[in-house]
Amino acid sequence: MKLPDIKILDEKHKILRTTSKEVEFPLSNDDKKIIQDIITYLTMSQIEKYYTKYDLRPGMGMAFIQLGIPKNIFVIVEEIDEEKFKNYVIINPKMVSHSEELIYVGEGEGCLSVNREVEGIVPRYARMTISYQDMDGKKQEIRVREDISVAFQHEMDHLNGILFVDKIDKKDPFKNKDKMREI
Ligand code: NI
């Protein structure tokens, strides 16, 4: 695999704070290429041989805005088995419903745009259903749970200009810990 030539913006870039826009179909060839590049990058970042060779930080999700492109598109690459991956390409997502139950990632969330250690709880819905469009513009619905639900919410926040660090109470980073389930 060849490492794609993409530049992930760090949190100091103000464009990460903008709200991304609805995508129209058909997708441009540029957008299709960027989606493919993101899939390749996220996949390689989760394979030891590549993350060692290229000094990559492992990541499972990326939104277009992290490359400076304010479009409602994100990609998630989930490792479902030893170096076997499932890709989600999500365009124009909308929340349909979500659980009342909240969860948080015990070891903390990470983001390829946040290059520092951040402690604290980011409350997320344990399960949710979203509608979105696939790469052909077809309407789809997906129900996600647990870590994938967290990943989807993290990426949907990016489309609204929100980073996970914004959701941590600065004065009390572990606030309401008892009201949520750790995953
Ligand atoms: Ni992120």
Side-chain angles (χ1 to χ4, degrees), residues 33-159:
K33 162 95 168 47
I34 294 163
I35 288 168
Q36 192 48 58
D37 282 353
I38 294 175
I39 291 171
T40 306
Y41 185 94
L42 293 174
T43 305
M44 291 176 77
S45 83
Q46 296 180 68
I47 298 175
E48 191 180 2
K49 180 169 89 182
Y50 295 118
Y51 68 66
T52 313
K53 180 171 176 191
Y54 296 109
D55 193 24
L56 306 176
R57 207 144 59 80
M60 68 187 297
M62 198 188 299
F64 261 44
I65 193 65
Q66 291 178 271
L67 302 178
I69 308 161
K71 293 183 180 178
N72 279 335
I73 307 178
F74 68 79
V75 174
I76 289 184
V77 175
E78 176 190 14
E79 186 170 30
I80 48 172
D81 206 349
E82 184 98 0
E83 295 188 4
K84 267 197 71 189
F85 298 92
K86 179 177 177 184
N87 306 327
Y88 304 84
V89 176
I90 305 293
I91 304 171
N92 298 329
K94 308 261 180 317
M95 174 81 80
V96 174
S97 62
H98 61 77
S99 63
E100 280 197 22
E101 189 191 13
L102 295 173
I103 55 177
Y104 66 94
V105 181
E107 61 192 21
E109 277 183 36
C111 177
L112 294 172
S113 294
V114 178
N115 294 295
R116 59 192 166 105
E117 284 296 320
V118 182
E119 280 207 322
I121 284 177
V122 184
R124 302 291 190 188
Y125 303 119
R127 298 165 295 283
M128 68 165 184
T129 300
I130 64 158
S131 64
Y132 67 100
Q133 282 168 282
D134 63 21
M135 286 182 68
D136 299 319
K138 259 211 230 127
K139 289 229 161 114
Q140 307 280 358
E141 228 176 65
I142 185 171
R143 183 165 171 75
V144 288
R145 56 187 69 243
E146 302 297 308
D147 56 330
I148 299 302
S149 180
V150 172
F152 270 62
Q153 288 165 74
H154 177 116
E155 299 310 325
M156 282 169 80
D157 278 350
H158 273 303
L159 305 184

